[in-house]
Amino acid sequence: MSISVSSPADFHVHLRQGDLSELVTPHVRQGGFRLAYVMPNLTPPITTTDQALEYKSTLERIDPETEFLMTLYLSPDLTPDEVRRAKAAGIVGVKSYPRGVTTNSDGGIESYETYYPVFEAMQEVDMVLNLHGEVPSDPSSNIHVINAEPSFLPHLRKLHFHFPRLRIVLEHATTRAAVETVKSLGDMVACSITAHHLALTVDDWAGQSWNYCKPVAKFPDDREALREVVREGHPRFFLGSPDHGCAAGIYTSPILLPLTAHLLESFGALDKLEGFVSKNGRRFYRKEITPADDGKSMVRLRKGKAAVTGKYSLREQQVVTFWAGKDLDWEIDYHDVH
């Protein structure tokens, strides 16, 4: 009737800026998580070490009890020297957005070859390359939201071929093709999966905008592939939550750990919960729990019906929670949170 999870970590978090950031940042911990890997697609994007450190300070003022790992936005301004400076300052990764595929990606890349010197420096200092794994829609070549991810996978293979020691994460995978590609590429390539992609298919968002989040949920067999790899307990697949507070986004932060437990139990993977939300991602990102830390950030879930709160507001900002009004079968035991 209860489950304990050691130091849950969300390795794909959008905390935005201004009042929206003040609203959503505390929800990371409310949802059961102790570590947040923060995306850099703000306005303007986080492209320098100084900007990343300033943003981290802002987040720490909002919630000093959550550990924030920072990233830079891959752009023409990023140089090998800045990569080395960022690494020395504790910044963990660089996020790549193809131009125009998601929120605040207008400055995204059009060609990876331009950035090979940057990737070489990242490989040298052991920083992580995070890839939004879609190509832009293009009617002339029949690229659209359904096939944008499979069309991106050759880029992933090519990057791994040229930089075999570079740690790469394919973010928020949605297709069987993505799962199979990541599994085939070996220990330096990993993959994040959102909670909502374990729940939804195309039928859930087509005509239902509240379930629309890029990359969009795909077909039942694609969802089953995501569930299969979680059931397998594959060590290079782990949780990363979706966009927060934006047009192409689904909001799960305040309920994320109970929601993930609810979903994993529904398809026979509850015994893989701690690996999926803590151990696998921490191992890949070199943030493993040490013997000294073990137990200090334990979160206990208890069995019991808990209704999902619908809305959260702060001044002019408002977010609506995924599955608002529905019941989850698990809830955080806040009396037993360390």
Side-chain angles (χ1 to χ4, degrees):
M1 300 300 290
S2 67
I3 307 170
S4 293
V5 181
S6 184
S7 299
D10 185 347
F11 282 103
H12 185 106
V13 181
H14 291 269
L15 299 178
R16 304 307 178 190
Q17 54 207 120
D19 288 350
L20 183 56
S21 185
E22 287 190 40
L23 172 61
V24 304
T25 298
H27 291 168
V28 173
R29 194 155 46 88
Q30 179 179 326
F33 286 78
R34 296 295 178 266
L35 181 151
Y37 190 71
V38 183
M39 296 294 105
N41 55 329
L42 306 186
T43 306
I46 302 296
T47 58
T48 70
T49 302
D50 289 342
Q51 289 174 329
L53 295 178
E54 182 180 357
Y55 186 32
K56 182 178 183 181
S57 295
T58 299
L59 298 175
E60 289 173 338
R61 284 195 296 272
I62 298 171
D63 185 356
E65 295 185 40
T66 296
E67 181 180 5
F68 299 101
L69 302 183
M70 308 309 292
T71 61
L72 300 180
Y73 188 105
L74 185 64
S75 74
D77 297 329
L78 187 59
T79 65
D81 284 344
E82 187 67 16
V83 165
R84 297 182 186 98
R85 184 166 177 254
K87 175 67 175 183
I91 293 166
V92 176
V94 174
K95 179 65 181 286
S96 164
Y97 296 91
R99 182 164 294 176
V101 297
T102 190
T103 305
N104 297 340
S105 64
D106 291 343
I109 70 158
E110 294 182 338
S111 171
Y112 282 108
E113 285 79 3
T114 304
Y115 296 98
Y116 276 14
V118 170
F119 299 152
E120 183 59 48
M122 291 175 63
Q123 181 172 251
E124 173 193 323
V125 300
D126 194 29
M127 287 184 76
V128 177
L129 176 61
N130 299 93
L131 299 175
H132 183 113
E134 294 183 289
V135 298
S137 293
D138 180 2
S140 68
S141 56
N142 195 38
I143 301 297
H144 44 75
V145 293
I146 296 296
N147 66 11
E149 182 177 279
S151 299
F152 176 85
L153 296 176
H155 296 289
L156 172 61
R157 296 187 190 97
K158 185 176 179 180
L159 285 170
H160 177 60
F161 175 80
H162 285 288
F163 303 98
R165 294 180 291 106
L166 176 63
R167 282 184 291 151
I168 301 175
V169 177
L170 179 66
E171 299 284 11
H172 40 57
T174 63
T175 59
R176 181 174 291 277
V179 170
E180 292 175 351
T181 298
V182 171
K183 290 178 74 172
S184 74
L185 293 181
D187 292 344
M188 301 304 286
V189 180
C191 181
S192 66
I193 297 174
T194 76
H196 75 269
H197 283 135
L198 294 170
L200 303 177
T201 68
V202 61
D203 286 345
D204 296 301
W205 63 261
Q208 303 180 61
S209 60
W210 55 90
N211 285 331
Y212 181 76
C213 183
K214 297 182 74 175
V216 298
K218 303 302 191 302
F219 303 114
D221 183 66
D222 294 303
R223 181 181 64 181
E224 182 57 28
L226 302 180
R227 293 177 171 186
E228 285 171 0
V229 81
V230 175
R231 273 197 300 267
E232 178 186 339
H234 196 289
R236 289 185 283 114
F237 290 78
F238 42 79
L239 181 71
S241 66
D243 272 359
H244 293 175
C246 62
I250 287 176
Y251 191 59
T252 59
S253 259
I255 59 166
L256 188 53
L257 189 58
L259 172 66
T260 306
H262 177 102
L263 291 169
L264 265 59
E265 184 177 41
S266 75
F267 57 84
L270 190 59
D271 61 320
K272 302 301 192 299
L273 179 66
E274 186 171 63
F276 183 60
V277 304
S278 178
K279 291 183 176 179
N280 295 352
R282 284 182 172 277
R283 186 180 304 114
F284 190 81
Y285 278 95
R286 319 273 202 250
K287 295 295 294 183
E288 292 183 87
I289 303 161
T290 67
D293 294 331
D294 193 22
K296 292 182 180 178
S297 297
M298 191 73 69
V299 179
R300 184 177 296 276
L301 294 169
R302 65 188 176 198
K303 191 80 168 178
K305 295 292 182 182
V308 175
T309 299
K311 296 180 182 179
Y312 295 87
S313 301
L314 178 67
R315 294 184 279 276
E316 299 299 316
Q317 299 296 329
Q318 178 177 278
V319 290
V320 178
T321 314
F322 182 60
W323 276 8
K326 292 188 178 183
D327 287 339
L328 297 178
D329 291 337
W330 293 90
E331 59 184 341
I332 295 174
D333 185 349
Y334 287 103
H335 299 292
D336 196 50
V337 174
H338 297 289

